[in-house]
Amino acid sequence: MNINRRGFFKVMGAAGATAMTPAAGARAWESAAPPDAFGCLVDLTRCIGCRKCEEACNRVNGLPAPEISFDDPTVLDTRRRPHEKSYTVVNRYFPGTLDTHDQLVPTFVKLQCMHCQDPACASACIVGALTKKENGSVYYDVGKCIGCRYCMVACPFEIPAYEYHDPVTPRVMKCTFCFERISKENGLPGCAQICPVEAITFGRRDTVMALAKQRLKDNPGKYVNHIYGEKEVGGTSWIYISSEPFEDLGFPSLPDRPTPKLAETIQHGLFSYLWSPILLFGVLGGIMRRNEKKNVHGKDKEARHDA
Amino acid sequence: MTHNPRPVNKKFWTPGVYVMLAFMAAGAVAVIARFTGGIGYVSNLSTARPWGLWVGVDVATGVALAAGGFTTAALAHIFGRHAYEPVTRPALLTAVLGYTFVVLGLMVDIGRSWAIWKPMFNWNPNSVLFEVAMCVMFYLNVLYIEFLPIVAEQFKNSVRLPGTLALLNRPLEFLLQFADRLLDKFMWIFIIAGVVLSCMHQSSLGSLMLIAPTKIHPLWYTPILPLLFLTSAFSVGYPMVVFETTLATTSMGLADEMEILTPLIRITIFTLGTYMALKLGDMMVRGTWVYLLDGTYQTNAFLIEIILGVIVPWCMLLSLRVRQSRSLLFTACSLIVGGVALNRINVFIVAYSPPVSHSNYFPAPGEFLVTAGLIATLMFIYRFVVTFLPVLSGSREVSV
């Protein structure tokens, strides 16, 4: 194999031209959160654990009937996670507060996809099957999915579930934020619409955020001073307020930094316009050419001096 | 130095080959179960633990241990150290097979195996996995192209198909000759591309886990994870060549090639030393050494990885006596290979602990069977190929 001069410069010229295409190069990482996203405020002080939201979610999304009826309160005796047959679950916690009869006061926590402002799953997805939509939902397009489950690795809330028992066409299963319903005028997610105590408030994320702050301000001492999801992993579309500390209610403590930031910064820094591979190709090509020439002129000093 | 690779003229059906066949059969059963009952039927994977043995071993470790291919190609063909050409062919074969099996392993692991082509048309440039997949795809093609001359060398001027297939003799002969001549002219492009693609995806495999900062143990979670993956891939390349050359020459009764391996491994002192310095330095800078003696299985796995897999073999390689002794060199290189393999397993499996559900994971028997079956098939094909194609240096074959 020999590397001839013309061939080398032809290839490098073409590669160089590709790299020079008008470009700002690697820019600082910026959030791609939609400006006008919807959100939901969950007020845990209001939730009574009736599980109507679970039932409504099951119905509007056409999910399979549950093994135990939605009316059966014993379900709350075990902690559950959302799974491939239910996008949302309500868990009961006893963080330690007592009522006037010295009974532990329960706090109920509804879990579902948080619909992050800068979702790690969407950044990770190899084919872009998961995307953050303008209306705020993190949308899953099964038509693109190959089933690599990198979204599940990436999700800091451990939300996406998988149809592990489907051998050929398994899907990633998670809350859709009722994408179709909220895309319509005055549409509400199934859970927010049914909630009998208005524990779930649906609206523009800015609006529900302001509402959360208002409630904290209007009721001094009632809530802990923390809106979960305001800053966590760069912010989520679903936000929570509570009278109990979130770490006692199973919420993970997460950094404010958007999860995809580090990996995306490294990727784009190294591979924008493929500058580093092209540079490396050029350098290696140069070295190879020089060594070929040396060989031709018979000046090759072999690796004999080693060892 | 005369470098004269030849097919190995030895008996193919040995007891070892039958053992491989047994593992292949068991693996096949598990694969059938996977494609009838689903991933959940044969594995312990879950919502919280979506990646397990198949990604950690079949994919991540497979890619790392195939690094002998691009590191020897770079040395012999780009840096012009032609003395090392005898080891490029077996290393290339290992890489061809390694990457083929990475893809086969992925086919088992991904839920929609039939959709594996979709990343070609649905690009997500934000996704580290997308870049890895593209590089692996291109690199696999480059590897096959690099291997083609070996096939051509064996069969050109001797295409003799039996019976009616004889009609194809002339066209096949022409194709081989044509490919051989054409490739000879352009092979440099593929050789450099192979090295570039390898550097890209070897490092990016490390970037994969950067998306999960809250799940990966701090001993392994560092922004320089891609650099550590790249330098460890450089480090494991030549030890892997020593490892497999020693195994192959022993099991097939060939000359031991020590006159090439001894100088070759000197380079590893530098690459492994760099990896060691980066890894220890990173631990100091981030202050993660505070975890070292907390006695958890994660920390212990880290200690084994860094002491037995990096520090001990590096110190061994410093000694000329070790580099010249076949058994000591094999020991040191096995430790390095094991250390890098353990590093990949640690990063993808051991270091991973989901903080919300605290879900534990240990591979199911079905997962082990698939992985063992894939490795056995790889070894079987290696054996088959070196028996019938000019891969190993047969010129100094010793009789046994």
Side-chain angles (χ1 to χ4, degrees), chain A residues 5-270:
Chain A
R5 193 185 148 81
R6 267 202 15 233
F8 176 66
F9 285 112
K10 241 192 272 175
V11 171
M12 286 319 297
T18 321
M20 295 300 190
T21 39
R27 271 170 314 199
W29 187 89
E30 273 171 33
S31 165
D36 235 6
F38 285 119
C40 271
L41 169 64
V42 184
D43 189 335
L44 297 182
T45 64
R46 296 187 176 189
C47 181
I48 53 169
C50 67
R51 301 178 62 224
K52 290 276 184 246
C53 52
E54 287 188 40
E55 192 174 4
C57 176
N58 177 281
R59 192 179 59 246
V60 303
N61 289 297
L63 296 172
E67 280 168 36
I68 306 171
S69 152
F70 287 113
D71 306 327
D72 188 340
T74 61
V75 169
L76 291 167
D77 293 342
T78 44
R79 296 266 161 79
R80 297 169 301 149
R81 299 281 310 158
H83 54 91
E84 72 274 21
K85 290 172 184 157
S86 72
Y87 295 158
T88 187
V89 296
V90 176
N91 281 325
R92 185 181 57 205
Y93 287 84
F94 292 108
T97 308
L98 301 174
D99 65 12
T100 45
H101 307 289
D102 279 356
Q103 296 290 307
L104 283 165
V105 180
T107 301
F108 299 97
V109 180
K110 177 186 184 300
L111 292 174
Q112 75 294 309
C113 173
M114 300 289 284
H115 298 276
C116 303
Q117 292 286 71
D118 286 293
C121 58
S123 168
C125 181
I126 182 169
V127 285
L130 285 153
T131 43
K132 179 77 173 172
K133 294 290 187 190
E134 282 303 308
N135 67 13
S137 76
V138 176
Y139 182 82
Y140 171 64
D141 178 0
V142 69
K144 290 181 180 172
C145 182
I146 68 167
C148 68
R149 306 188 299 284
Y150 191 30
C151 52
M152 300 163 66
V153 170
C155 177
F157 300 99
E158 298 165 37
I159 288 297
Y162 202 63
E163 295 182 317
Y164 278 113
H165 288 276
D166 183 330
V168 184
T169 55
R171 292 168 295 173
V172 169
M173 302 296 274
K174 71 163 198 71
C175 162
T176 63
F177 209 167
C178 286
F179 175 76
E180 269 88 27
R181 291 165 61 93
I182 66 170
S183 299
K184 290 177 199 139
E185 194 73 23
N186 296 325
L188 289 172
C191 53
Q193 188 169 36
I194 198 109
C195 182
V197 291
E198 289 183 39
I200 309 169
T201 313
F202 174 81
R204 296 279 162 204
R205 184 173 185 268
D206 302 346
T207 316
V208 295
M209 188 69 72
L211 177 65
K213 287 178 177 159
Q214 194 63 44
R215 281 193 200 164
L216 262 57
K217 202 174 140 201
D218 292 349
N219 303 277
K222 182 178 179 188
Y223 296 98
V224 292
N225 188 23
H226 182 180
I227 301 171
Y228 192 93
E230 181 186 12
K231 298 207 174 92
E232 274 77 9
V233 292
T236 56
S237 280
W238 279 66
I239 55 173
Y240 289 73
I241 51 176
S242 161
S243 58
E244 304 289 342
F246 286 103
E247 49 278 22
D248 296 343
L249 302 171
F251 286 81
S253 300
L254 295 171
D256 291 350
R257 181 218 265 281
T259 319
K261 188 172 175 181
L262 177 61
E264 285 185 10
T265 304
I266 291 178
Q267 282 305 97
H268 294 304
L270 280 178

Side-chain angles (χ1 to χ4, degrees), chain A residues 124-125 143 150 155 158 267 295, chain B residues 82 118 127 131 208 215 357:
Chain A
C125 181
Y150 191 30
C155 177
E158 298 165 37
Q267 282 305 97
N295 277 359
Chain B
H82 298 287
K118 285 186 176 174
S127 169
E131 186 231 315
L208 275 180
K215 299 180 183 177
S357 51

Side-chain angles (χ1 to χ4, degrees), chain B residues 68-344:
Chain B
F70 85 95
T71 48
T72 54
L75 184 66
H77 303 314
I78 296 178
F79 290 93
R81 303 292 202 92
H82 298 287
Y84 295 117
E85 260 166 30
V87 292
T88 55
R89 282 196 172 185
L92 174 61
L93 175 59
T94 315
V96 170
L97 293 177
Y99 277 88
T100 305
F101 279 81
V102 163
V103 174
L104 290 180
L106 272 175
M107 298 284 274
V108 176
D109 182 75
I110 67 171
R112 299 174 162 232
S113 317
W114 48 269
I116 197 166
W117 52 272
K118 285 186 176 174
M120 281 192 280
F121 302 99
N122 299 291
W123 295 10
N124 179 10
N126 285 336
S127 169
V128 181
L129 190 61
F130 170 73
E131 186 231 315
V132 171
M134 288 297 109
C135 286
V136 168
M137 186 188 78
F138 282 116
Y139 186 48
L140 186 59
N141 284 292
V142 166
L143 283 170
Y144 281 120
I145 290 168
E146 287 183 32
F147 198 75
L148 203 59
I150 299 176
V151 180
E153 181 184 316
Q154 180 68 7
F155 294 109
K156 71 182 172 187
N157 303 325
S158 63
V159 180
R160 306 262 182 282
L161 292 173
T164 45
L165 289 176
L167 277 174
L168 293 174
N169 281 351
R170 295 268 307 268
L172 269 179
E173 180 70 49
F174 174 77
L175 255 176
L176 279 179
Q177 298 274 10
F178 179 73
D180 200 32
R181 249 176 301 147
L182 189 74
L183 280 178
D184 192 52
K185 236 180 144 173
F186 293 106
M187 191 52 93
W188 67 273
I189 296 179
F190 294 108
I191 287 180
I192 302 176
V195 175
V196 172
L197 288 166
S198 291
C199 289
M200 287 171 76
H201 72 265
Q202 291 282 3
S203 59
S204 293
L205 267 175
S207 309
L208 275 180
M209 281 303 174
L210 294 181
I211 198 81
T214 56
K215 299 180 183 177
I216 304 297
H217 193 284
L219 278 171
W220 289 276
Y221 189 91
T222 160
I224 67 160
L225 208 47
L227 187 59
L228 291 176
F229 266 52
L230 184 64
T231 48
S232 58
F234 287 149
S235 312
V236 82
Y238 304 139
M240 192 62 197
V241 168
V242 172
F243 181 77
E244 67 175 49
T245 303
T246 309
L247 284 183
T249 53
T250 306
S251 85
M252 289 182 271
L254 307 174
D256 61 18
E257 314 242 13
M258 284 302 284
E259 74 282 6
I260 294 170
L261 301 183
T262 299
L264 176 69
I265 211 68
R266 281 202 347 169
I267 303 167
T268 305
I269 299 175
F270 171 70
T271 52
L272 188 67
T274 308
Y275 172 55
M276 180 171 71
L278 284 170
K279 202 157 164 83
L280 295 176
D282 172 68
M283 192 171 73
M284 293 303 158
V285 169
R286 292 184 306 111
T288 48
W289 48 270
V290 296
Y291 296 99
L292 283 182
L293 295 176
D294 67 8
T296 62
Y297 81 101
Q298 289 178 313
T299 306
N300 292 338
F302 183 86
L303 285 173
I304 295 171
E305 178 198 321
I306 188 84
I307 295 174
L308 273 184
V310 182
I311 298 172
V312 169
W314 186 75
C315 294
M316 284 177 78
L317 289 187
L318 291 177
S319 143
L320 180 64
R321 200 172 69 84
V322 171
R323 298 202 300 274
Q324 285 176 335
S325 148
R326 191 164 189 245
S327 58
L328 286 174
L329 182 64
F330 180 73
T331 309
C333 289
S334 304
L335 286 174
I336 297 170
V337 169
V340 172
L342 181 59
N343 171 258
R344 300 308 193 257

